[in-house]
Amino acid sequence: MTRAGKAKLMTGLGRFYTVLVYIFLFLPISVIVVNSMNATTSKPYLSWKGFTLSWYVKLWSNTELLSSFGNTMIIAIVSTLVSTAIGTLAAVGLYRYRFRGKDLINGLLYIPVVIPEIVFGISLLSMFARMSIPRGMFTLILAHISFSVPFVVFNVRACLTNYDISVEEASMDLGANRVKTFFNVTFPMLMPGITGGALLAFTLSIDDVIISYFVNGQTKTYPLKVMESIKSGVSPDVNALSTLILLGTILFVILTQTNVLKKLVRKK
Amino acid sequence: MKKSEHEWKSNGLPALVTVGPVAVILVFLVVLPLMYVAVMSFCSIDSYYNVVYKFTLKNYAQLADPDYIHIYLQSILIALLTTVICVLVAYPFAYLIARTKSRNKNLLYMLVIIPFWTNSLIRIYGWRTFLGTNGWLNNALIKLHIISEPLDMLFNRGTTVLGMVYCLIPFMVLPLYSSFEKLDVNLLEASADLGATKLKTLKEIIIPLTADGIFSGGIMIFIPCLGYFFVSDILGGGNADVIGNLIERQFQSGNNWPLGSALSIILIIITLLLVKAYQKIGGSMESLAL
């Protein structure tokens, strides 16, 4: 075989392999999307009974499912806001100041990252039970903050290490105090790290199963609702909601990636 | 403490304001709960399954139960297979999408992440629907007259490994993607110019330079595998339990929290040992979280 022929064969093989992996990644997603349009009405909702979009309508009367999704959104938004604020402050403080116990805190931040979620979940459950804190929305939010805060710290810190600290000093030399310097100089420069950390915190929160499973009490989140429905067969309206969420996130990515949003904002 | 240029000595207040909140969270929601689990693993239970603070080593003695040992080994086997398969699948894949000259490179990257924005349980359930006796694959094979009776593919170690690989493969693809992106093309050309074969370049240059990604991905895959009880529940059907299933049972239906705590201590020890080993071979902790 000629060298060019060989190279062509290699790219062909490479393409084939890449496509195979993408099929693997998207196969279960396509099952979800197809089953959301299945006309079957009997458990476990597996055999194909024809095409319908009725589940997308029925979905809006499934109050339990909708409220679980509402809970997930509340928990994700609150825990993301809190952990982003706390994590950003901590990253700046850990980078900036020398104080006792700094190495300890740096080390402790890795625990939520590496520890198996189930151990984290049962440890929080045990402590909430021991301290008689009723489990529900409040404990869910606390738990989500605690597992997402390190990711915000690390993301912001990565941003800090390649930025020029002298700008801050200049700001202080020109008479701005620490608080003013933080909000007018440090904060805008850290924005990429902050948004990256916040996005990660949000993603971790909406998909969390294991930790939520132990600290939820009677409050159902969307993943826990799915877990419950798996026992009796996932009904097509759950698939329909998942499809809508997927479409929503894809739309979000397209808008942010292509800067359409920025253009829209600018026009206003 | 080492001094760096960007560090200012704190007079207390600024450090307290910035780092105080995170310290409170770490102490009350991470350290104290874990310490309590350690204490509980030495506690007894009364006849109503309440935790009583009476010292015992019974929970640890129970860990040596042959049925449990079988599950530890099975769990480690599943985690090991998952990690190896993730490396083998992700390595060439990450190489191809990181070094493509296609204009759609960003799209290819996003296509890896998008599936993971759908709830992981429902995606795992999607595999069950696909592989079930009445699932897409069996129906297709019957239609094509390759088989006449549906195959029983579900509920074994293999399907559990499949589910684990599916859930965890991004942790291998993403770090490898960034290592391959950083890889200097000149090095590869130099190696070829100096007469190295492709295989030798791979062994001597590409793999050592991307080893960091393999190790950090490996840690972030192996450890969760031991705990992901929902994957073995949905796709293993009780035939491929991992340590996570044992712990989950003691904290839910079994209701023996001290025994569940002792089982958790095993997971903590395995985690610590692996992280230590990872640091020893030069892995940086930072790359685990980014």
Side-chain angles (χ1 to χ4, degrees):
Chain A
M1 204 186 287
T2 61
R3 182 169 284 194
K6 217 171 172 180
K8 219 174 191 175
L9 181 70
M10 285 309 284
T11 19
L13 274 176
R15 251 194 220 143
F16 177 69
Y17 181 75
T18 324
V19 170
L20 270 186
V21 176
Y22 281 118
I23 290 176
F24 170 71
L25 292 177
F26 279 88
L27 198 105
I29 310 268
S30 53
V31 173
I32 296 164
V33 175
V34 170
N35 276 347
S36 74
M37 297 179 268
N38 188 351
T40 177
T41 48
S42 55
K43 286 182 181 181
Y45 310 104
L46 288 177
S47 44
W48 181 254
K49 291 274 152 58
F51 174 84
T52 179
L53 284 175
S54 65
W55 293 106
Y56 285 85
V57 181
K58 280 182 200 152
L59 164 70
W60 302 102
S61 48
N62 189 343
T63 47
E64 256 183 67
L65 182 63
L66 289 179
S67 82
S68 75
F69 182 66
N71 288 338
T72 289
M73 290 314 279
I74 294 170
I75 294 163
I77 291 169
V78 175
S79 68
T80 301
L81 287 176
V82 175
S83 59
T84 306
I86 292 178
T88 305
L89 273 176
V92 173
L94 285 168
Y95 183 73
R96 163 68 4 122
Y97 302 116
R98 243 179 304 143
F99 54 90
R100 263 201 304 167
K102 179 172 166 169
D103 288 345
L104 181 68
I105 289 178
N106 269 327
L108 291 179
L109 279 170
Y110 289 107
I111 296 180
V113 177
V114 293
I115 203 157
E117 286 157 273
I118 184 159
V119 176
F120 204 178
I122 60 104
S123 75
L124 285 170
L125 165 67
S126 310
M127 196 201 53
F128 291 142
R130 179 79 192 87
M131 293 170 74
S132 317
I133 299 172
R135 270 155 275 147
M137 195 65 120
F138 178 64
T139 50
L140 278 165
I141 290 175
L142 280 183
H144 284 225
I145 292 171
S146 63
F147 69 67
S148 55
V149 104
F151 291 94
V152 178
V153 177
F154 297 135
N155 259 281
V156 177
R157 189 156 68 188
C159 209
L160 272 166
T161 42
N162 36 23
Y163 112 120
D164 188 2
I165 213 79
S166 56
V167 188
E168 258 182 36
E169 278 154 12
S171 159
M172 310 260 286
D173 287 345
L174 291 170
N177 60 24
R178 277 186 178 171
V179 177
K180 205 168 175 186
T181 304
F182 181 79
F183 281 106
N184 290 345
V185 179
T186 318
F187 189 68
M189 287 170 82
L190 294 182
M191 225 34 213
I194 296 171
T195 45
L199 204 62
L200 197 53
F202 191 83
T203 314
L204 290 172
S205 174
I206 53 169
D207 195 30
D208 176 65
V209 184
I210 297 182
I211 295 170
S212 303
Y213 176 70
F214 289 102
V215 299
N216 71 319
Q218 298 300 318
T219 309
K220 283 269 175 307
T221 64
Y222 171 62
L224 293 175
K225 186 76 202 153
V226 172
M227 189 180 226
E228 196 183 84
S229 69
I230 280 175
K231 281 173 194 135
S232 57
V234 173
S235 70
D237 54 351
V238 175
N239 287 317
L241 181 57
S242 302
T243 307
L244 289 179
I245 295 171
L246 182 70
L247 287 176
T249 40
I250 291 174
L251 197 68
F252 176 76
V253 174
I254 293 172
L255 288 179
T256 46
Q257 290 279 308
T258 56
N259 290 331
V260 174
L261 274 181
K262 273 182 202 159
K263 276 177 204 152
L264 281 177
V265 173
R266 231 175 277 149
K267 266 183 193 154
K268 275 183 188 166
Chain B
M1 200 180 285
K2 58 181 187 300
K3 236 172 150 179
S4 344
E5 265 179 43
H6 58 76
E7 282 183 328
W8 295 340
K9 203 170 186 167
S10 166
N11 51 15
L13 189 66
L16 192 69
V17 170
T18 50
V19 187
V22 101
V24 170
I25 287 179
L26 288 173
V27 169
F28 286 99
L29 294 171
V30 179
V31 178
L32 285 180
L34 288 175
M35 282 167 73
Y36 182 57
V37 168
V39 171
M40 217 163 48
S41 70
F42 293 104
C43 289
S44 325
I45 47 168
D46 64 16
S47 45
Y48 301 103
Y49 292 96
N50 292 314
V51 180
V52 276
Y53 296 97
K54 210 176 86 194
F55 179 84
T56 175
L57 286 173
K58 206 181 86 203
N59 303 312
Y60 285 95
Q62 245 173 295
L63 296 184
D65 184 302
D67 288 346
Y68 280 2
I69 290 173
H70 167 74
I71 289 180
Y72 310 148
L73 295 176
Q74 172 167 278
S75 201
I76 287 170
L77 178 72
I78 288 172
L80 210 59
L81 277 173
T82 304
T83 313
V84 170
I85 293 172
C86 281
V87 175
L88 293 179
V89 174
Y91 203 81
F93 178 68
Y95 177 83
L96 288 165
I97 58 168
R99 302 199 69 82
T100 178
K101 291 180 189 85
S102 155
R103 273 183 296 130
N104 298 324
K105 193 174 162 186
N106 279 334
L107 177 72
L108 290 177
Y109 182 80
M110 286 318 293
L111 282 177
V112 178
I113 302 177
I114 285 171
F116 297 88
W117 285 335
T118 312
N119 178 273
S120 46
L121 285 166
I122 204 162
R123 280 183 291 125
I124 294 297
Y125 188 74
W127 276 110
R128 186 155 119 184
T129 312
F130 182 77
L131 296 170
T133 41
N134 191 18
W136 292 14
L137 188 58
N138 267 317
N139 286 344
L141 290 175
I142 289 171
K143 281 242 167 71
L144 293 169
H145 300 289
I146 295 170
I147 50 170
S148 51
E149 289 290 307
L151 297 172
D152 198 4
M153 287 176 278
L154 277 174
F155 308 134
N156 52 53
R157 280 183 202 159
T159 42
T160 304
V161 171
L162 172 86
M164 297 281 188
V165 169
Y166 187 78
C167 278
L168 295 162
I169 200 161
F171 292 106
M172 191 58 85
V173 174
L174 301 181
L176 282 175
Y177 179 90
S178 48
S179 328
F180 280 128
E181 260 203 325
K182 280 183 234 148
L183 199 67
D184 189 353
V185 196
N186 294 328
L187 278 176
L188 308 184
E189 278 167 9
S191 165
D193 288 347
L194 292 170
T197 59
K198 287 224 157 118
L199 197 68
K200 196 157 186 201
T201 309
L202 180 72
K203 222 173 85 190
E204 307 274 325
I205 300 188
I206 303 182
I207 290 181
L209 283 174
T210 49
D212 216 38
I214 299 178
F215 291 136
S216 67
I219 287 270
M220 294 311 277
I221 288 170
F222 191 93
I223 296 173
C225 263
L226 304 172
Y228 270 18
F229 64 87
F230 66 88
V231 177
S232 56
D233 266 349
I234 298 172
L235 289 175
N239 302 317
D241 283 355
V242 293
I243 302 178
N245 295 86
L246 296 178
I247 300 175
E248 187 255 344
R249 234 162 272 152
Q250 291 314 325
F251 275 87
Q252 301 283 349
S253 51
N255 216 8
N256 186 343
W257 288 21
L259 178 58
S261 300
L263 286 162
S264 302
I265 297 294
I266 300 186
L267 271 193
I268 294 175
I269 291 172
I270 295 177
T271 306
L272 287 175
L273 290 176
L274 285 174
V275 170
K276 271 273 165 283
Y278 169 73
Q279 285 175 315
K280 198 141 206 184
I281 53 173
S284 89
M285 290 303 285
E286 224 126 298
S287 49
L288 293 181
L290 289 175

